[in-house]
Amino acid sequence: MTTTSSEASVRPVSTSKPAGTPTRRPGGRPRRRRSSWLTEQRVIGTAAVIVALVVWELVALARVKPALILPGPIDVLRAFRDLFSTSAIWTDLWVSAEELLIGLVIATLIGLPVGLLIGWYKRVAYALNPFVNFLYATPRIALTPLLIIWLGIGSSSKIAIVFLMALFPILINTAQGMQSLDQGSVRVARCFGASDLQLFRTVALPGTVPFVASGLRLAVGQALIGVFVAELSGATHGVGLMMSTAGQQFQTSKVFAGLFIFAFAGVTLTAVLRRVEQHFAAWRLGS
Amino acid sequence: MSSSTHEQKSNHQAGDLSHLAAGGAGTVAHLVARDVLIEYPSPGSDQVTIAVQNCDLVLERGDFVVLVGPSGCGKTTLLNAVAGFVPVTGGVLELDGRPIPGPGPDRAMVFQQPNLLPWRSVLANVTYGLELSKKVKKAEARSQAADLLELVGLADVAQKYPAQLSGGMQARVNLARALAVEPEILLLDEPFAAIDAQTRELMQAELLRICAARDVTALFVTHDITEAAFLADRVCVFGPRPGRIVKEIQVPWGRPRSHDIRRTPEFTALSEEIGDVLYSAIADARAAQLEGAAR
């Protein structure tokens, strides 16, 4: 019993945030100090970004290329100000965001259950694998012209492209999570006489969560590509269209502004998903 | 423990077991293996490999029997057959007079790897078996699990996740989880093999204390001779190729036991006896193999 007390006192756990509890992970990085916002990681990261912006501004100021070709960060900021002084940008943002989110939601609603089915039932996998492999190997973005012919240049063709781009990362990751269940856990469940449904609910589903989460994060990146390319190929509104128009008119700093809007959307969505993932996978310490 | 009254009966003859196995529930031994044969197909050929042959074993309620043998000798296969993971090809293997249909909550298995569900807290891992069987209400399951965690000395980490525990603590949770379903028989497959030597000796004493507190019937598989000698009422020495029980050795001391018995001359003598039987069985098997190869 003496071991228990010493083992138990290994590490106090903060109950408020299970996701951030210290790790005992072998070979993991040393424990983060979570007392202060000003961690080493953040300080170095912020400094590096500032340095990059300064270098960019200096290169732009040196006028190696005219401002028309290579604007500096200050030009881009100015473009942002001009952009948000009109109401057109809000329509563009709204349309693009709607296409992105609806496409992602549909992709999740279909990719998740189908992935679970493929992972759980071998025969479903045998039946669907040819289609999944074919569509996954095809550059789905190449379907854009086809979908625009079928669905028009409105939102529905964009949603379809986003859906196709986002579907496969979710579907394939989910199926793979199902197929790579920890056999030890499966044995334990079987040993306690678990039915198939119980095994699915108590072992397969929770074990697949991390795979689904990383699938969703991959899907966000793919979906953004989908929105952008689909809007280039013909659209009435959207940030991608705005960028393409600005590019044709050599409003280079406006193109940069659009680029940053896309980047910001991607970073935000990924961060949100990471929070969700941490909430559902508090047991995967230090993730 | 009640086992002492059954000990004479345990040293059985195969002949007088038949009526026991076939008779009424009152006289049936708890676990009966008679002339058990377990075969499985060799991968890539039509031949079958014999894992266990001519195996006889009887456990009464409250018995703590240890199967000791070299790795790959079939002792784990026999345990898996009792657990219901592996079908018996021949002979009789019965629990309370009924053949074993498959895995079930009346037999709980403790594996070498703790195999805790990493997304469940320690407490939720212990209630897992009870949740599956749905025999008790959730609140009831939680309070039973809390009692068990108290018993294994982990009450203060009930809300932690397995990844936050040391190997020794995980082994305790594993044990508590198996005990939670109140199994008829506890099957242990080298549960302490992956634990460091000091913790292992502590865990062995802990196991005996816990088994005594819960009046558990246990079948324990190990390749560690001193572990067998320390834990068992009876040590069954398994010989390889084909796997069978070469000798049953009655352990001379009763319960409760402390670490002191490890230092007695009797303990050394018993360990040596087990070792002698074990090594001669291995040598016999090797000689038979060489003879077979020479032909």
Side-chain angles (χ1 to χ4, degrees):
Chain A
M1 293 316 287
T2 47
T3 50
T4 315
S5 52
S6 64
E7 282 164 343
S9 65
V10 165
R11 216 148 268 173
V13 179
S14 68
T15 45
S16 56
K17 272 198 173 177
T21 44
T23 86
R24 304 191 100 254
R25 203 166 42 142
R29 69 198 127 100
R31 194 148 56 107
R32 269 184 303 163
R33 282 162 297 162
R34 38 186 15 269
S35 52
S36 146
W37 184 88
L38 221 62
T39 58
E40 192 187 11
Q41 189 187 357
R42 284 215 167 94
V43 169
I44 294 178
T46 314
V49 170
I50 291 171
V51 168
L53 286 174
V54 168
V55 169
W56 179 15
E57 184 63 34
L58 288 177
V59 171
L61 284 177
R63 290 285 168 255
V64 187
K65 296 274 180 191
L68 201 62
I69 311 267
L70 181 67
I74 293 174
D75 298 319
V76 174
L77 275 180
R78 214 169 283 138
F80 257 109
R81 201 193 53 204
D82 295 344
L83 205 55
F84 282 90
S85 61
T86 65
S87 65
I89 184 66
W90 295 109
T91 320
D92 287 337
L93 274 176
W94 174 248
V95 168
S96 291
E98 199 180 44
E99 291 160 0
L100 183 75
L101 292 179
I102 294 179
L104 270 175
V105 166
I106 299 177
T108 311
L109 289 181
I110 292 181
L112 200 63
V114 173
L116 290 177
L117 284 174
I118 288 180
W120 191 248
Y121 295 108
K122 249 191 217 128
R123 294 207 168 96
V124 175
Y126 295 156
L128 292 184
N129 272 344
F131 301 100
V132 172
N133 289 338
F134 174 78
L135 276 169
Y136 187 61
T138 317
R140 276 148 290 138
I141 204 83
L143 293 170
T144 313
L146 203 57
L147 285 164
I148 287 180
I149 293 172
W150 288 343
L151 299 170
I153 59 167
S155 280
S156 35
S157 61
K158 316 298 178 299
I159 292 171
I161 287 291
V162 171
F163 164 74
L164 280 176
M165 294 296 282
L167 176 70
F168 289 90
I170 298 171
L171 190 150
I172 289 172
N173 262 285
T174 308
Q176 202 183 1
M178 267 292 168
Q179 283 158 354
S180 50
L181 289 182
D182 174 33
Q183 288 308 306
S185 304
V186 174
R187 252 169 92 85
V188 166
R190 287 291 188 211
C191 195
F192 283 124
S195 65
D196 279 359
L197 188 67
Q198 284 177 322
L199 187 68
F200 180 82
R201 200 171 48 78
T202 62
V203 177
L205 223 42
T208 309
V209 166
F211 287 82
V212 176
S214 61
L216 280 172
R217 266 191 280 137
L218 286 173
V220 166
Q222 293 287 304
L224 282 167
I225 297 176
V227 169
F228 179 73
V229 175
E231 287 181 358
L232 286 192
S233 318
T236 50
H237 297 285
V239 179
L241 179 72
M242 181 274 283
M243 282 172 74
S244 133
T245 316
Q248 282 157 13
Q249 297 166 352
F250 270 93
Q251 294 174 297
T252 316
S253 42
K254 204 170 165 188
V255 176
F256 268 104
L259 186 69
F260 280 114
I261 292 174
F262 268 103
F264 180 75
V267 169
T268 310
L269 278 174
T270 310
V272 168
L273 285 173
R274 184 155 293 168
R275 290 302 284 273
V276 173
E277 182 183 354
Q278 280 177 351
H279 175 77
F280 280 108
W283 49 273
R284 284 203 319 168
L285 301 163
S287 61
Chain B
M1 288 201 52
S2 60
S3 65
S4 54
T5 56
H6 296 301
E7 271 163 8
Q8 272 71 40
K9 223 193 284 177
S10 313
N11 293 330
H12 60 87
Q13 298 293 310
D16 56 37
L17 274 174
S18 50
H19 79 273
L20 281 179
T27 56
V28 177
H30 191 36
L31 177 75
V32 175
R34 187 159 20 88
D35 200 19
V36 164
L37 174 71
I38 302 172
E39 299 172 323
Y40 55 89
S42 309
S45 76
D46 297 338
Q47 290 177 332
V48 289
T49 303
I50 299 170
V52 176
Q53 196 175 32
N54 303 121
C55 186
D56 295 300
L57 179 67
V58 174
L59 260 75
E60 301 291 348
R61 275 180 198 283
D63 272 0
F64 197 121
V65 171
V66 175
L67 303 176
V68 62
S71 54
C73 70
K75 57 193 193 300
T76 297
T77 309
L78 180 65
L79 197 72
N80 279 331
V82 177
F85 286 130
V86 175
V88 174
T89 337
V92 174
L93 183 63
E94 288 173 337
L95 190 69
D96 290 328
R98 287 183 301 276
I100 286 161
D106 54 340
R107 288 144 290 142
M109 189 105 168
V110 180
F111 300 100
Q112 180 182 333
Q113 298 303 323
N115 286 330
L116 302 175
L117 300 179
W119 48 82
R120 281 173 172 250
S121 69
V122 166
L123 187 76
N125 261 291
V126 177
T127 58
Y128 183 58
L130 290 172
E131 272 173 46
L132 291 180
S133 69
K134 290 178 186 158
K135 262 184 268 176
V136 293
K137 290 215 175 68
K138 211 164 190 177
E140 172 68 21
R142 287 176 73 86
S143 88
Q144 283 183 20
D147 290 348
L148 271 166
L149 284 177
E150 190 81 42
L151 180 68
V152 300
L154 290 180
D156 48 346
V157 296
Q159 297 309 323
K160 289 200 183 189
Y161 288 102
Q164 293 170 287
L165 306 186
S166 68
M169 294 164 96
Q170 292 192 14
R172 288 163 198 264
V173 179
N174 191 15
L175 191 59
R177 176 174 63 182
L179 290 171
V181 295
E182 296 184 336
E184 295 283 325
I185 182 167
L186 189 62
L187 307 171
L188 303 107
D189 187 9
E190 305 193 19
F192 307 142
I195 301 175
D196 65 90
Q198 288 84 39
T199 314
R200 189 186 312 148
E201 295 203 345
L202 290 169
M203 285 300 298
Q204 289 164 1
E206 280 285 276
L207 177 66
L208 289 185
R209 181 180 67 80
I210 291 161
C211 285
R214 293 265 161 166
D215 206 8
V216 172
T217 312
L219 186 58
F220 189 107
V221 161
T222 183
H223 58 251
D224 183 336
I225 291 171
T226 55
E227 185 168 68
F230 181 71
L231 291 176
D233 295 320
R234 259 183 303 141
V235 176
C236 297
V237 182
F238 236 78
R241 278 180 291 266
R244 73 222 177 276
I245 292 171
V246 186
K247 192 175 182 189
E248 285 196 19
I249 300 169
Q250 193 71 39
V251 171
W253 42 76
R255 302 181 188 282
R257 296 173 189 179
S258 74
H259 292 295
D260 296 339
I261 63 163
R262 292 183 201 273
R263 288 193 286 273
T264 60
E266 290 84 2
F267 191 84
T268 315
L270 179 71
S271 301
E272 277 172 7
E273 187 188 354
I274 298 169
D276 288 346
V277 176
L278 196 57
Y279 296 130
S280 71
I282 296 171
D284 288 351
R286 189 155 300 155
Q289 202 180 19
L290 286 174
E291 202 174 301
R295 264 181 219 153

